[in-house]
Amino acid sequence: MIDDEPPPDDDDDTGPDPRPTKKMQQVYLDMHYRKMQRDLCGTQKKETKVFLAVVVTALGPARFMVVFYWCLVYWPLLTFVTGLVFSELFRVDGGGHILVYFLIAAEVLTIVTFIVVNYIYPKFVTSHWFAVSLSPRRYWNLAVTSYSKNEHKTTFEIEYDGKWGCLARRHHCRYSGQVNGAGLPHGQGVWSDDSYSGEILSGFWEDGKPSSPFKSRQYGGKGNTFVGVRLVYFMATDDSFESTKFYPTNENPPRVGVASVECSVAGDFMSHLPAAELVGEMTVEGENQVSVGSCCLALDQFSRRVDDAKSLKITSTSRGVSVEGHLFDVTGMPFTRRVQQIIVDVASPAPKYESLGFEDETGTADEGNGDEEMAPYSEITAAPSLRVEGWVKAKSKPALIFIPGFNSWLQHSLETFGQMIAMTQLAQNVYPILYEWPAAQVLTYRLASLMSASMNNRKNFLQLIEGLRSEGITDIHIITHSMGVQTLMAAFEDVDGAPSPVAKCFGPAPTLTGPHLSSGLENRLVCRSITLLNPDFPVAPFIERGFQTIRRVSSLITVVGDKGDQALFWSSLINGIFNRLQYSQPSPCDSRKTEAGFHFEHRVGRHIEEMCISAGSGSERMILRQTSIEKSIENASESNGEQDHWLDLDVIDTTGLDTNVNDLRHSAYNVNAILLR
């Protein structure tokens, strides 16, 4: 029986106990399982091989494609070549059967080996029987080489046999950090393992396992780097975590919670990543004082934000000058063009002293004899704080709301959004929130479009916005992908000629020089930006009224599109057929412009060159840019009468981009480093 008490400290004369405790073995086993996942699942690859005029494209996990190629390509090819080379030998009676038997035996052995290595062995080493009866200590010959413990952290180092047992050198793994009452890593800690597939992981631990946020780098190889992030989700659908319903519904109350996502961010990208899991259980929004806003504030315990700044990041862009984490005091906005200089005050803290607690010759501590100058005190040096004149610290971080596209279930949406957050530094500056709506399945595409504009979906999005405002989160950024833009347009669609309830929660669009909010609108939210990624929305209604409904609340709108987007091509075709058959479509997608007969319905993400209105339509002049340069262009066009006016938005055309773009050219934004930068 293995003793579960921690080994004595290194300072003890007896030295550390070479037997690892059960807790140490469990930590080693959990981290070893992470290594097995990386080794067995492999990296994401897209290979093309030609065999007998058949092109095989590997789109699945690497481990399945390996056994596929061995069984259908390599072994048959090897058997065929062997038959040609040794044709004289196999020409005797029954000689050809030997090759057939060899091929069958080799393929059966390959499949059995694949099943054992990928399924039976991982189940074996993670089973309760293995941990109790066989024990990892005996299996890997684990031995504790160092152990120390103090009030702040616990450190232990374990030596173990590698893949080839005693035939190869032994490896070392080490943990240093906080532990819980049971002796398991819990809190901030660092793990290092010097084997090729080992990793150096620094971040948060929970009950012996790494839990986001953390950052990890594989010890050997190409410097593969992994990041774990935490996201807040607002589930406004009746779907499950792992799948969507064929007939989408959202009759039940929305649920909220926090999720953890681990992603590859550098080097080789692992095929089993990103991987999402829920932290705790889903809770009905607003039940037991749990709201989407409170979930956001719970993320602050993992951030390093402090009240007094120790460093400042000052940035100058076309919008003006900004100081990270600060608002310009005059306008209340994060950037300004008014300042000619920025003055930073250095506030030195008052010196603090603490008693050294020296002992005198009698062995008693000297607590002072009334003479303060003679008392043994040590000065504590603290870093000075930085304060920017004319700027104030932001009370809270802004929220970044992501609305995924069609046929996206919660797990998939979390992994997609988490990959985008992990590839950037957004997690440090915003509260990342996923709004999951009823996205249906492939064959119910049109139902998903209708559900995006349903009354329940609009009410749920309003509940999300109000939940953020109730916790004092005032600045909002919104990102949509594909059909997710229809949820956004439905939420901001005018009701009987007046702004929608969601639009009424926001103040007017902030300008570069105007005040933060007008008098009487101090309780309104501020929509800092709206980004539409490959938007699946018809062009005509977007120009007629859709753009105006979001432009009135945000002055920074960006459309990211691709003229070769294949998914939006099929969307144009399918919607054109449904419209020709006079099937109903959601009200935000209705247009005053009707065309006779069948036609492709142009989508915003594929026809980004059409983001303009015809000259002379004065009713829409309010949505045009009003800079001095564009005013001159507008005046020139009035005399010309033929020049179009571009909408007041930014367009990013990714048509010519070949980096990290899949065949559909529709949903590779979350791993495209060029676009994310």
Side-chain angles (χ1 to χ4, degrees):
M1 191 67 179
I2 300 176
D3 186 9
D4 198 32
E5 292 299 321
D9 293 342
D10 290 336
D11 296 336
D12 193 19
D13 294 337
T14 61
D17 190 332
R19 297 174 303 166
T21 65
K22 290 182 180 179
K23 306 303 181 185
M24 293 180 183
Q25 295 181 56
Q26 185 60 48
V27 174
Y28 171 82
L29 200 56
D30 291 336
M31 300 306 292
H32 180 75
Y33 182 72
R34 288 174 55 87
K35 287 196 297 184
M36 284 195 303
Q37 283 186 306
R38 291 192 290 270
D39 288 339
L40 297 178
C41 296
T43 60
Q44 296 181 9
K45 295 181 180 178
K46 182 179 178 183
E47 302 174 349
T48 301
K49 299 180 183 288
V50 180
F51 178 66
L52 297 181
V54 177
V55 178
V56 180
T57 304
L59 296 177
R63 55 182 177 179
F64 293 106
M65 300 316 301
V66 169
V67 69
F68 174 83
Y69 284 129
W70 273 104
C71 290
L72 297 185
V73 179
Y74 301 141
W75 285 126
L77 183 60
L78 180 61
T79 304
F80 177 74
V81 172
T82 303
L84 291 179
V85 175
F86 302 99
S87 58
E88 296 294 336
L89 179 62
F90 294 107
R91 188 170 296 177
V92 299
D93 293 341
H97 294 162
I98 297 177
L99 291 177
V100 176
Y101 295 150
F102 168 78
L103 177 61
I104 295 175
E107 295 198 348
V108 169
L109 182 61
T110 300
I111 295 175
V112 170
T113 303
F114 171 79
I115 295 174
V116 170
V117 171
N118 288 274
Y119 296 100
I120 298 180
Y121 177 72
K123 291 289 184 182
F124 167 71
V125 297
T126 56
S127 65
H128 179 72
W129 178 86
F130 175 84
V132 174
S133 300
L134 187 57
S135 97
R137 179 178 68 86
R138 289 191 290 267
Y139 189 80
W140 284 288
N141 193 18
L142 303 181
V144 178
T145 57
S146 66
Y147 180 88
S148 64
K149 182 178 180 180
N150 57 37
E151 183 180 356
H152 302 290
K153 69 177 181 179
T154 298
T155 302
F156 60 83
E157 184 174 341
I158 299 176
E159 189 179 64
Y160 67 95
D161 288 339
K163 278 184 179 180
W164 308 107
C166 61
L167 300 179
R169 74 178 184 89
R170 288 169 64 80
H171 299 288
H172 297 80
C173 56
R174 182 176 185 269
Y175 173 78
S176 179
Q178 300 172 327
V179 297
N180 57 15
L184 292 171
H186 191 85
Q188 293 294 327
V190 179
W191 169 273
S192 60
D193 185 343
D194 64 2
S195 65
Y196 182 87
S197 299
E199 61 184 318
I200 303 172
L201 188 148
S202 175
F204 187 75
W205 293 69
E206 190 169 7
D207 296 329
K209 297 182 180 180
S211 178
S212 59
F214 66 80
K215 187 171 184 178
S216 172
R217 179 178 61 83
Q218 187 171 328
Y219 189 84
K222 302 178 181 179
N224 303 336
T225 305
F226 318 102
V227 171
V229 295
R230 292 205 174 199
L231 312 174
V232 175
Y233 62 87
F234 186 97
M235 195 169 184
T237 174
D238 299 335
D239 298 331
S240 66
F241 175 69
E242 297 178 342
S243 63
T244 55
K245 299 175 64 176
F246 186 79
Y247 293 101
T249 60
N250 56 0
E251 300 298 329
N252 296 323
R255 295 159 288 172
V256 297
V258 178
S260 171
V261 186
E262 181 180 359
C263 311
S264 297
V265 296
D268 289 331
F269 279 50
M270 298 291 116
S271 62
H272 69 287
L273 298 178
E277 61 179 356
L278 303 184
V279 179
E281 297 182 355
M282 296 183 184
T283 306
V284 176
E285 212 280 340
E287 190 175 86
N288 299 326
Q289 305 300 318
V290 177
S291 67
V292 63
S294 62
C295 290
C296 290
L297 299 183
L299 299 183
D300 283 337
Q301 63 177 307
F302 305 106
S303 65
R304 299 181 179 178
R305 289 167 57 89
V306 292
D307 294 334
D308 295 326
K310 306 300 181 184
S311 62
L312 291 173
K313 181 180 179 181
I314 302 175
T315 307
S316 177
T317 65
S318 59
R319 295 182 296 173
V321 178
S322 62
V323 181
E324 186 177 33
H326 290 71
L327 300 175
F328 188 53
D329 194 21
V330 178
T331 62
M333 296 189 65
F335 51 83
T336 182
R337 288 182 174 176
R338 297 186 180 186
V339 297
Q340 300 297 322
Q341 62 181 358
I342 293 181
I343 301 175
V344 180
D345 294 329
V346 181
S348 300
K352 296 182 180 180
Y353 302 90
E354 70 174 359
S355 174
L356 295 177
F358 293 149
E359 294 184 353
D360 57 19
E361 295 180 356
T362 62
T364 58
D366 183 3
E367 297 180 358
N369 54 5
D371 189 352
E372 297 296 333
E373 295 183 358
M374 298 298 296
Y377 284 92
S378 173
E379 181 178 349
I380 301 176
T381 304
S385 300
L386 305 178
R387 296 184 177 90
V388 187
E389 288 189 9
W391 296 72
V392 295
K393 290 283 292 183
K395 294 182 179 179
S396 66
K397 295 187 293 186
L400 173 62
I401 302 174
F402 176 68
I403 308 176
F406 156 70
N407 192 26
S408 294
W409 52 99
L410 180 59
Q411 181 183 19
H412 178 265
S413 300
L414 287 171
E415 291 172 353
T416 301
F417 188 35
Q419 182 71 62
M420 182 174 67
I421 296 296
M423 294 282 287
T424 65
Q425 300 296 323
L426 289 175
Q428 302 177 8
N429 304 318
V430 300
Y431 297 119
I433 305 170
L434 170 70
Y435 179 81
E436 186 68 18
W437 58 284
Q441 296 182 9
V442 175
L443 297 180
T444 51
Y445 168 87
R446 191 73 170 193
L447 292 179
S449 181
L450 295 174
M451 286 299 301
S452 66
S454 66
M455 290 305 301
N456 281 347
N457 197 39
R458 301 180 195 221
K459 291 178 181 178
N460 289 335
F461 193 82
L462 176 62
Q463 190 172 347
L464 164 66
I465 297 299
E466 291 178 339
L468 297 176
R469 183 168 61 174
S470 66
E471 295 294 340
I473 300 174
T474 57
D475 291 356
I476 308 295
H477 299 267
I478 301 176
I479 298 180
T480 70
H481 176 244
S482 191
M483 194 183 285
V485 67
Q486 298 189 26
T487 289
L488 177 70
M489 292 301 180
F492 283 94
E493 184 184 24
D494 292 346
V495 179
D496 298 329
S500 68
V502 172
K504 291 179 181 178
C505 295
F506 291 87
T511 61
L512 296 175
T513 57
H516 176 56
L517 286 177
S518 303
S519 177
L521 301 177
E522 290 79 5
N523 293 328
R524 300 284 187 91
L525 302 177
V526 180
C527 187
R528 296 297 180 187
S529 68
I530 295 177
T531 304
L532 313 179
L533 302 171
N534 303 88
D536 184 8
F537 196 84
V539 171
F542 181 80
I543 294 177
E544 290 170 6
R545 63 186 186 281
F547 173 74
Q548 183 176 349
T549 60
I550 60 176
R551 177 59 183 83
R552 65 163 64 109
V553 299
S554 178
S555 58
L556 181 58
I557 300 175
T558 305
V559 174
V560 179
D562 193 311
K563 298 177 183 178
D565 193 319
Q566 296 301 307
L568 295 186
F569 167 80
W570 292 108
S571 174
S572 300
L573 175 62
I574 293 173
N575 282 285
I577 294 174
F578 275 103
N579 294 341
R580 178 67 180 88
L581 298 176
Q582 298 183 348
Y583 281 93
S584 61
Q585 61 179 343
S587 57
C589 298
D590 286 333
S591 172
R592 296 192 301 264
K593 298 180 180 179
T594 58
E595 299 182 28
F598 169 78
H599 64 280
F600 283 90
E601 189 178 56
H602 289 186
R603 317 305 279 183
V604 173
R606 186 177 169 88
H607 297 84
I608 51 180
E609 74 283 358
E610 299 180 10
M611 297 296 97
C612 59
I613 59 176
S614 301
S617 52
S619 60
E620 273 111 4
R621 290 289 176 83
M622 59 175 293
I623 64 177
L624 299 177
R625 294 186 185 271
Q626 293 297 315
T627 63
S628 57
I629 296 178
E630 284 154 342
K631 279 184 179 180
S632 62
I633 296 177
E634 181 179 345
N635 295 334
S637 65
E638 286 179 355
S639 60
N640 190 355
E642 296 180 355
Q643 188 169 347
D644 294 335
H645 299 290
W646 295 100
L647 300 181
D648 184 13
L649 52 78
D650 299 317
V651 174
I652 299 178
D653 187 357
T654 61
T655 305
L657 194 64
D658 292 329
T659 304
N660 297 331
V661 177
N662 58 12
D663 292 335
L664 286 177
R665 307 189 66 87
H666 182 69
S667 55
Y669 58 89
N670 60 326
V671 295
N672 196 313
I674 297 176
L675 180 61
L676 292 176
R677 280 197 296 268

